[in-house]
Amino acid sequence: MEIQIPLVIFTSFLAWAAGIFGTQCILALQKRGGAVQLPALICSAAVLVVGGIAVVFHLTHPFNLFNGFGHITSGITQELIAIVLLAVAMVLFFLMLRRSEDNTVPQWLAVVGIVLVLVLIVAMGHSYMMPSLPAWDTVLQLLSLLGAACVMGPATVAFIGAARGIEIEGIGLLAVIGAAVNAVLSAAYMFAMEASSATFQYYFDPTHPNVAMANPANVSLFTGDSLAALVVAVIALVVALVGALLGKKQGAWKVWGAVVAIAGLVCAVALRIMMYTMGETLFMLY
């Protein structure tokens, strides 16, 4: 399947924005990281906007976006609803921060924010789950987005705090846990994608008599563009995990926070590229 770069950016950046805001909400529940909340919120909103703009470029014409809103069960409608709800929560978060004297927000708002982050991730992942695409039709595909959010969110917040000279208690532990969760979920999804290739068999399409029989050996993570993306993803996973451990040990989040966040983004993009290169359809395969 042709790689859809705008959609790769869309899902990766929205997972990033969800991760940053989710980390803020976790800190808000614990009454920590007050001074970093506003700059982190601005960062998460900016990343959300970039991801939202990217998806428009996937369409032939921007107004085609509205053609997908005709039914509540369509993936694009559910994603839009989740994005709007998260944006509303961000606005409320901003207003509460402006009114607060100690950079805190009500705990109910932090809980709502965490729930909406999860709703957005589920909406994005679920819209790609199609029975005709074995490499996509697995909950591990959805959970890989959660992993991306877990690694990029804490690392970005840690970097922002270090850049502003703010020490955030417990951020190192969050970063290590996030990197570990991402490594496990990403590895699990890569394994599931490779396992999905067993679904395919040699086939001949009678509507294309001049096209050679399809070879299931080509539907593998260890061939072509999939292999390159696999190598990049594995390296990024290792870099993110090692960076998080070193950041927690050294406390130098101005360096390691940036390294982990970038590695997490690279891994998310590589994983989505693999998703497309492995996205062969079962239609007319048997």
Side-chain angles (χ1 to χ4, degrees):
M1 179 182 293
E2 182 180 353
I3 300 171
Q4 302 295 324
I5 295 299
L7 293 183
V8 171
I9 296 174
F10 169 70
T11 50
S12 300
F13 272 66
L14 258 65
W16 191 3
I20 298 172
F21 190 60
T23 302
Q24 291 183 248
C25 292
I26 291 173
L27 293 176
L29 277 176
Q30 301 171 339
K31 300 294 183 181
R32 293 190 279 120
V36 82
Q37 290 285 12
L38 185 57
L41 181 63
I42 294 172
C43 181
S44 62
V47 173
L48 186 71
V49 169
V50 172
I53 292 174
V55 75
V56 177
F57 289 93
H58 173 64
L59 307 168
T60 304
H61 193 284
F63 287 107
N64 289 339
L65 183 68
F66 298 99
N67 295 334
F69 300 150
H71 204 286
I72 192 67
T73 59
S74 70
I76 193 171
T77 302
Q78 294 171 359
E79 288 173 341
L80 176 66
I81 292 172
I83 291 171
V84 170
L85 290 175
L86 187 63
V88 170
M90 287 180 173
V91 171
L92 290 176
F93 209 93
F94 173 77
L95 293 176
M96 292 296 182
L97 285 175
R98 297 294 291 177
R99 292 178 56 184
S100 174
E101 296 181 355
D102 57 354
N103 293 309
T104 59
V105 299
Q107 290 194 321
W108 65 264
L109 181 55
V111 172
V112 169
I114 293 172
V115 171
L116 291 178
V117 162
L118 295 175
V119 168
L120 175 59
I121 290 173
V122 170
M124 283 196 300
H126 182 262
S127 67
Y128 288 92
M129 294 178 67
M130 308 175 191
S132 61
L133 298 171
W136 295 18
D137 195 36
T138 168
V139 71
L140 291 172
Q141 177 267 127
L142 187 158
L143 291 176
S144 69
L145 289 171
L146 176 62
C150 286
V151 67
M152 290 188 283
T156 303
V157 172
F159 169 78
I160 294 172
R164 294 179 63 87
I166 302 168
E167 184 176 348
I168 307 172
E169 182 185 352
I171 194 64
L173 180 60
L174 282 178
V176 171
I177 292 174
V181 168
N182 182 56
V184 171
L185 294 179
S186 297
Y189 182 41
M190 286 187 280
F191 178 82
M193 280 193 284
E194 178 61 25
S196 72
S197 63
T199 308
F200 298 95
Q201 301 175 0
Y202 287 95
Y203 78 100
F204 175 73
D205 186 348
T207 64
H208 296 85
N210 297 324
V211 176
M213 293 180 68
N215 188 345
N218 294 329
V219 187
S220 172
L221 287 180
F222 302 101
T223 60
D225 293 336
S226 296
L227 178 59
L230 174 64
V231 172
V232 170
V234 171
I235 293 174
L237 286 175
V238 173
V239 170
L241 189 55
V242 172
L245 290 170
L246 290 175
K248 184 177 184 299
K249 180 179 180 180
Q250 300 175 2
W253 287 113
K254 191 178 292 186
V255 174
W256 294 116
V259 168
V260 175
I262 292 171
L265 179 60
V266 169
C267 177
V269 169
L271 208 60
R272 294 289 129 180
I273 289 175
M274 277 184 270
M275 193 178 99
Y276 279 100
T277 58
M278 292 289 290
E280 295 293 342
T281 178
L282 281 176
F283 177 68
M284 295 193 73
L285 289 194
Y286 49 152

PDB file of all heavy atoms in Angstrom, residues 56-79:
ATOM      1  N   VAL A  56      -5.389  17.485   6.484  1.00  0.00           N
ATOM      2  CA  VAL A  56      -6.071  18.164   5.383  1.00  0.00           C
ATOM      3  C   VAL A  56      -5.348  17.900   4.066  1.00  0.00           C
ATOM      4  O   VAL A  56      -5.973  17.773   3.010  1.00  0.00           O
ATOM      5  CB  VAL A  56      -6.168  19.680   5.663  1.00  0.00           C
ATOM      6  CG1 VAL A  56      -6.809  20.405   4.475  1.00  0.00           C
ATOM      7  CG2 VAL A  56      -6.983  19.929   6.924  1.00  0.00           C
ATOM      8  N   PHE A  57      -4.019  17.790   4.123  1.00  0.00           N
ATOM      9  CA  PHE A  57      -3.235  17.570   2.908  1.00  0.00           C
ATOM     10  C   PHE A  57      -3.409  16.160   2.354  1.00  0.00           C
ATOM     11  O   PHE A  57      -2.957  15.872   1.244  1.00  0.00           O
ATOM     12  CB  PHE A  57      -1.758  17.850   3.180  1.00  0.00           C
ATOM     13  CG  PHE A  57      -1.453  19.304   3.365  1.00  0.00           C
ATOM     14  CD1 PHE A  57      -1.448  19.861   4.640  1.00  0.00           C
ATOM     15  CD2 PHE A  57      -1.195  20.116   2.284  1.00  0.00           C
ATOM     16  CE1 PHE A  57      -1.172  21.213   4.816  1.00  0.00           C
ATOM     17  CE2 PHE A  57      -0.918  21.465   2.448  1.00  0.00           C
ATOM     18  CZ  PHE A  57      -0.914  22.017   3.717  1.00  0.00           C
ATOM     19  N   HIS A  58      -4.058  15.300   3.126  1.00  0.00           N
ATOM     20  CA  HIS A  58      -4.345  13.962   2.621  1.00  0.00           C
ATOM     21  C   HIS A  58      -5.469  13.987   1.585  1.00  0.00           C
ATOM     22  O   HIS A  58      -5.616  13.063   0.791  1.00  0.00           O
ATOM     23  CB  HIS A  58      -4.727  13.051   3.790  1.00  0.00           C
ATOM     24  CG  HIS A  58      -5.202  11.692   3.382  1.00  0.00           C
ATOM     25  ND1 HIS A  58      -4.399  10.781   2.742  1.00  0.00           N
ATOM     26  CD2 HIS A  58      -6.423  11.081   3.521  1.00  0.00           C
ATOM     27  CE1 HIS A  58      -5.077   9.671   2.504  1.00  0.00           C
ATOM     28  NE2 HIS A  58      -6.307   9.831   2.960  1.00  0.00           N
ATOM     29  N   LEU A  59      -6.251  15.058   1.607  1.00  0.00           N
ATOM     30  CA  LEU A  59      -7.422  15.158   0.746  1.00  0.00           C
ATOM     31  C   LEU A  59      -7.098  15.921  -0.530  1.00  0.00           C
ATOM     32  O   LEU A  59      -6.232  16.799  -0.553  1.00  0.00           O
ATOM     33  CB  LEU A  59      -8.554  15.861   1.497  1.00  0.00           C
ATOM     34  CG  LEU A  59      -8.901  15.243   2.858  1.00  0.00           C
ATOM     35  CD1 LEU A  59      -9.814  16.155   3.640  1.00  0.00           C
ATOM     36  CD2 LEU A  59      -9.541  13.881   2.665  1.00  0.00           C
ATOM     37  N   THR A  60      -7.804  15.587  -1.604  1.00  0.00           N
ATOM     38  CA  THR A  60      -7.613  16.289  -2.864  1.00  0.00           C
ATOM     39  C   THR A  60      -7.983  17.752  -2.716  1.00  0.00           C
ATOM     40  O   THR A  60      -7.337  18.640  -3.268  1.00  0.00           O
ATOM     41  CB  THR A  60      -8.474  15.651  -3.970  1.00  0.00           C
ATOM     42  OG1 THR A  60      -8.156  14.268  -4.055  1.00  0.00           O
ATOM     43  CG2 THR A  60      -8.207  16.311  -5.312  1.00  0.00           C
ATOM     44  N   HIS A  61      -9.033  18.001  -1.957  1.00  0.00           N
ATOM     45  CA  HIS A  61      -9.484  19.365  -1.695  1.00  0.00           C
ATOM     46  C   HIS A  61      -9.876  19.450  -0.231  1.00  0.00           C
ATOM     47  O   HIS A  61     -10.552  18.550   0.282  1.00  0.00           O
ATOM     48  CB  HIS A  61     -10.685  19.716  -2.579  1.00  0.00           C
ATOM     49  CG  HIS A  61     -11.010  21.179  -2.596  1.00  0.00           C
ATOM     50  ND1 HIS A  61     -11.639  21.810  -1.546  1.00  0.00           N
ATOM     51  CD2 HIS A  61     -10.770  22.148  -3.528  1.00  0.00           C
ATOM     52  CE1 HIS A  61     -11.794  23.092  -1.820  1.00  0.00           C
ATOM     53  NE2 HIS A  61     -11.274  23.325  -3.010  1.00  0.00           N
ATOM     54  N   PRO A  62      -9.475  20.511   0.477  1.00  0.00           N
ATOM     55  CA  PRO A  62      -9.767  20.604   1.911  1.00  0.00           C
ATOM     56  C   PRO A  62     -11.242  20.423   2.256  1.00  0.00           C
ATOM     57  O   PRO A  62     -11.576  19.850   3.288  1.00  0.00           O
ATOM     58  CB  PRO A  62      -9.282  22.021   2.278  1.00  0.00           C
ATOM     59  CG  PRO A  62      -8.214  22.301   1.281  1.00  0.00           C
ATOM     60  CD  PRO A  62      -8.650  21.633   0.013  1.00  0.00           C
ATOM     61  N   PHE A  63     -12.144  20.891   1.388  1.00  0.00           N
ATOM     62  CA  PHE A  63     -13.566  20.795   1.694  1.00  0.00           C
ATOM     63  C   PHE A  63     -14.069  19.350   1.628  1.00  0.00           C
ATOM     64  O   PHE A  63     -15.166  19.056   2.089  1.00  0.00           O
ATOM     65  CB  PHE A  63     -14.374  21.689   0.752  1.00  0.00           C
ATOM     66  CG  PHE A  63     -14.232  23.153   1.056  1.00  0.00           C
ATOM     67  CD1 PHE A  63     -13.481  23.978   0.235  1.00  0.00           C
ATOM     68  CD2 PHE A  63     -14.819  23.709   2.183  1.00  0.00           C
ATOM     69  CE1 PHE A  63     -13.319  25.327   0.521  1.00  0.00           C
ATOM     70  CE2 PHE A  63     -14.672  25.055   2.487  1.00  0.00           C
ATOM     71  CZ  PHE A  63     -13.920  25.874   1.649  1.00  0.00           C
ATOM     72  N   ASN A  64     -13.262  18.463   1.045  1.00  0.00           N
ATOM     73  CA  ASN A  64     -13.639  17.052   1.043  1.00  0.00           C
ATOM     74  C   ASN A  64     -13.665  16.488   2.459  1.00  0.00           C
ATOM     75  O   ASN A  64     -14.268  15.440   2.702  1.00  0.00           O
ATOM     76  CB  ASN A  64     -12.656  16.236   0.195  1.00  0.00           C
ATOM     77  CG  ASN A  64     -12.812  16.503  -1.283  1.00  0.00           C
ATOM     78  OD1 ASN A  64     -13.856  16.977  -1.727  1.00  0.00           O
ATOM     79  ND2 ASN A  64     -11.787  16.209  -2.062  1.00  0.00           N
ATOM     80  N   LEU A  65     -12.995  17.191   3.370  1.00  0.00           N
ATOM     81  CA  LEU A  65     -12.991  16.768   4.767  1.00  0.00           C
ATOM     82  C   LEU A  65     -14.412  16.654   5.304  1.00  0.00           C
ATOM     83  O   LEU A  65     -14.740  15.750   6.072  1.00  0.00           O
ATOM     84  CB  LEU A  65     -12.185  17.761   5.608  1.00  0.00           C
ATOM     85  CG  LEU A  65     -12.003  17.462   7.092  1.00  0.00           C
ATOM     86  CD1 LEU A  65     -11.111  16.249   7.254  1.00  0.00           C
ATOM     87  CD2 LEU A  65     -11.408  18.653   7.810  1.00  0.00           C
ATOM     88  N   PHE A  66     -15.276  17.573   4.875  1.00  0.00           N
ATOM     89  CA  PHE A  66     -16.632  17.613   5.408  1.00  0.00           C
ATOM     90  C   PHE A  66     -17.511  16.505   4.841  1.00  0.00           C
ATOM     91  O   PHE A  66     -18.568  16.215   5.389  1.00  0.00           O
ATOM     92  CB  PHE A  66     -17.256  18.984   5.125  1.00  0.00           C
ATOM     93  CG  PHE A  66     -16.522  20.113   5.790  1.00  0.00           C
ATOM     94  CD1 PHE A  66     -15.619  20.889   5.076  1.00  0.00           C
ATOM     95  CD2 PHE A  66     -16.708  20.383   7.139  1.00  0.00           C
ATOM     96  CE1 PHE A  66     -14.924  21.923   5.689  1.00  0.00           C
ATOM     97  CE2 PHE A  66     -16.022  21.416   7.760  1.00  0.00           C
ATOM     98  CZ  PHE A  66     -15.123  22.182   7.034  1.00  0.00           C
ATOM     99  N   ASN A  67     -17.084  15.886   3.745  1.00  0.00           N
ATOM    100  CA  ASN A  67     -17.862  14.788   3.180  1.00  0.00           C
ATOM    101  C   ASN A  67     -17.849  13.568   4.091  1.00  0.00           C
ATOM    102  O   ASN A  67     -18.713  12.703   3.971  1.00  0.00           O
ATOM    103  CB  ASN A  67     -17.315  14.403   1.801  1.00  0.00           C
ATOM    104  CG  ASN A  67     -17.485  15.509   0.778  1.00  0.00           C
ATOM    105  OD1 ASN A  67     -18.383  16.344   0.898  1.00  0.00           O
ATOM    106  ND2 ASN A  67     -16.628  15.533  -0.228  1.00  0.00           N
ATOM    107  N   GLY A  68     -16.852  13.486   4.963  1.00  0.00           N
ATOM    108  CA  GLY A  68     -16.761  12.336   5.857  1.00  0.00           C
ATOM    109  C   GLY A  68     -17.574  12.478   7.123  1.00  0.00           C
ATOM    110  O   GLY A  68     -17.608  11.571   7.948  1.00  0.00           O
ATOM    111  N   PHE A  69     -18.212  13.652   7.310  1.00  0.00           N
ATOM    112  CA  PHE A  69     -18.946  13.899   8.545  1.00  0.00           C
ATOM    113  C   PHE A  69     -20.424  13.537   8.442  1.00  0.00           C
ATOM    114  O   PHE A  69     -21.230  13.964   9.264  1.00  0.00           O
ATOM    115  CB  PHE A  69     -18.830  15.379   8.949  1.00  0.00           C
ATOM    116  CG  PHE A  69     -17.416  15.832   9.182  1.00  0.00           C
ATOM    117  CD1 PHE A  69     -17.047  17.141   8.950  1.00  0.00           C
ATOM    118  CD2 PHE A  69     -16.460  14.942   9.631  1.00  0.00           C
ATOM    119  CE1 PHE A  69     -15.735  17.562   9.163  1.00  0.00           C
ATOM    120  CE2 PHE A  69     -15.150  15.350   9.842  1.00  0.00           C
ATOM    121  CZ  PHE A  69     -14.791  16.665   9.605  1.00  0.00           C
ATOM    122  N   GLY A  70     -20.780  12.772   7.427  1.00  0.00           N
ATOM    123  CA  GLY A  70     -22.190  12.477   7.213  1.00  0.00           C
ATOM    124  C   GLY A  70     -22.742  11.409   8.138  1.00  0.00           C
ATOM    125  O   GLY A  70     -23.958  11.267   8.247  1.00  0.00           O
ATOM    126  N   HIS A  71     -21.871  10.658   8.786  1.00  0.00           N
ATOM    127  CA  HIS A  71     -22.361   9.581   9.652  1.00  0.00           C
ATOM    128  C   HIS A  71     -21.512   9.513  10.905  1.00  0.00           C
ATOM    129  O   HIS A  71     -20.286   9.590  10.843  1.00  0.00           O
ATOM    130  CB  HIS A  71     -22.313   8.246   8.900  1.00  0.00           C
ATOM    131  CG  HIS A  71     -23.274   7.236   9.448  1.00  0.00           C
ATOM    132  ND1 HIS A  71     -23.063   6.584  10.640  1.00  0.00           N
ATOM    133  CD2 HIS A  71     -24.464   6.783   8.974  1.00  0.00           C
ATOM    134  CE1 HIS A  71     -24.074   5.766  10.878  1.00  0.00           C
ATOM    135  NE2 HIS A  71     -24.936   5.863   9.882  1.00  0.00           N
ATOM    136  N   ILE A  72     -22.172   9.332  12.026  1.00  0.00           N
ATOM    137  CA  ILE A  72     -21.479   9.355  13.313  1.00  0.00           C
ATOM    138  C   ILE A  72     -20.506   8.187  13.469  1.00  0.00           C
ATOM    139  O   ILE A  72     -19.548   8.258  14.242  1.00  0.00           O
ATOM    140  CB  ILE A  72     -22.518   9.343  14.464  1.00  0.00           C
ATOM    141  CG1 ILE A  72     -21.837   9.658  15.811  1.00  0.00           C
ATOM    142  CG2 ILE A  72     -23.228   7.998  14.522  1.00  0.00           C
ATOM    143  CD1 ILE A  72     -21.304  11.047  15.909  1.00  0.00           C
ATOM    144  N   THR A  73     -20.732   7.098  12.728  1.00  0.00           N
ATOM    145  CA  THR A  73     -19.866   5.927  12.870  1.00  0.00           C
ATOM    146  C   THR A  73     -18.613   5.999  12.003  1.00  0.00           C
ATOM    147  O   THR A  73     -17.758   5.118  12.094  1.00  0.00           O
ATOM    148  CB  THR A  73     -20.639   4.647  12.502  1.00  0.00           C
ATOM    149  OG1 THR A  73     -21.114   4.753  11.154  1.00  0.00           O
ATOM    150  CG2 THR A  73     -21.815   4.434  13.442  1.00  0.00           C
ATOM    151  N   SER A  74     -18.495   7.016  11.156  1.00  0.00           N
ATOM    152  CA  SER A  74     -17.298   7.117  10.322  1.00  0.00           C
ATOM    153  C   SER A  74     -16.098   7.494  11.176  1.00  0.00           C
ATOM    154  O   SER A  74     -16.217   8.263  12.141  1.00  0.00           O
ATOM    155  CB  SER A  74     -17.499   8.157   9.213  1.00  0.00           C
ATOM    156  OG  SER A  74     -17.529   9.468   9.739  1.00  0.00           O
ATOM    157  N   GLY A  75     -14.935   6.947  10.816  1.00  0.00           N
ATOM    158  CA  GLY A  75     -13.731   7.195  11.604  1.00  0.00           C
ATOM    159  C   GLY A  75     -13.370   8.661  11.686  1.00  0.00           C
ATOM    160  O   GLY A  75     -12.982   9.164  12.743  1.00  0.00           O
ATOM    161  N   ILE A  76     -13.514   9.390  10.573  1.00  0.00           N
ATOM    162  CA  ILE A  76     -13.116  10.793  10.558  1.00  0.00           C
ATOM    163  C   ILE A  76     -14.019  11.629  11.456  1.00  0.00           C
ATOM    164  O   ILE A  76     -13.574  12.590  12.088  1.00  0.00           O
ATOM    165  CB  ILE A  76     -13.113  11.337   9.106  1.00  0.00           C
ATOM    166  CG1 ILE A  76     -12.400  12.687   9.052  1.00  0.00           C
ATOM    167  CG2 ILE A  76     -14.529  11.458   8.549  1.00  0.00           C
ATOM    168  CD1 ILE A  76     -12.159  13.179   7.644  1.00  0.00           C
ATOM    169  N   THR A  77     -15.313  11.249  11.553  1.00  0.00           N
ATOM    170  CA  THR A  77     -16.233  11.958  12.443  1.00  0.00           C
ATOM    171  C   THR A  77     -15.851  11.734  13.898  1.00  0.00           C
ATOM    172  O   THR A  77     -15.817  12.677  14.703  1.00  0.00           O
ATOM    173  CB  THR A  77     -17.676  11.494  12.206  1.00  0.00           C
ATOM    174  OG1 THR A  77     -18.027  11.722  10.848  1.00  0.00           O
ATOM    175  CG2 THR A  77     -18.647  12.241  13.096  1.00  0.00           C
ATOM    176  N   GLN A  78     -15.558  10.490  14.238  1.00  0.00           N
ATOM    177  CA  GLN A  78     -15.182  10.175  15.618  1.00  0.00           C
ATOM    178  C   GLN A  78     -13.869  10.854  16.006  1.00  0.00           C
ATOM    179  O   GLN A  78     -13.717  11.326  17.132  1.00  0.00           O
ATOM    180  CB  GLN A  78     -15.085   8.665  15.780  1.00  0.00           C
ATOM    181  CG  GLN A  78     -16.420   7.956  15.620  1.00  0.00           C
ATOM    182  CD  GLN A  78     -16.288   6.447  15.575  1.00  0.00           C
ATOM    183  OE1 GLN A  78     -15.192   5.898  15.647  1.00  0.00           O
ATOM    184  NE2 GLN A  78     -17.416   5.753  15.468  1.00  0.00           N
ATOM    185  N   GLU A  79     -12.924  10.891  15.074  1.00  0.00           N
ATOM    186  CA  GLU A  79     -11.655  11.581  15.343  1.00  0.00           C
ATOM    187  C   GLU A  79     -11.890  13.068  15.560  1.00  0.00           C
ATOM    188  O   GLU A  79     -11.304  13.678  16.469  1.00  0.00           O
ATOM    189  CB  GLU A  79     -10.689  11.366  14.181  1.00  0.00           C
ATOM    190  CG  GLU A  79     -10.124   9.956  14.105  1.00  0.00           C
ATOM    191  CD  GLU A  79      -9.310   9.720  12.841  1.00  0.00           C
ATOM    192  OE1 GLU A  79      -9.474  10.488  11.874  1.00  0.00           O
ATOM    193  OE2 GLU A  79      -8.508   8.775  12.821  1.00  0.00           O
TER     194      GLU A  79
END
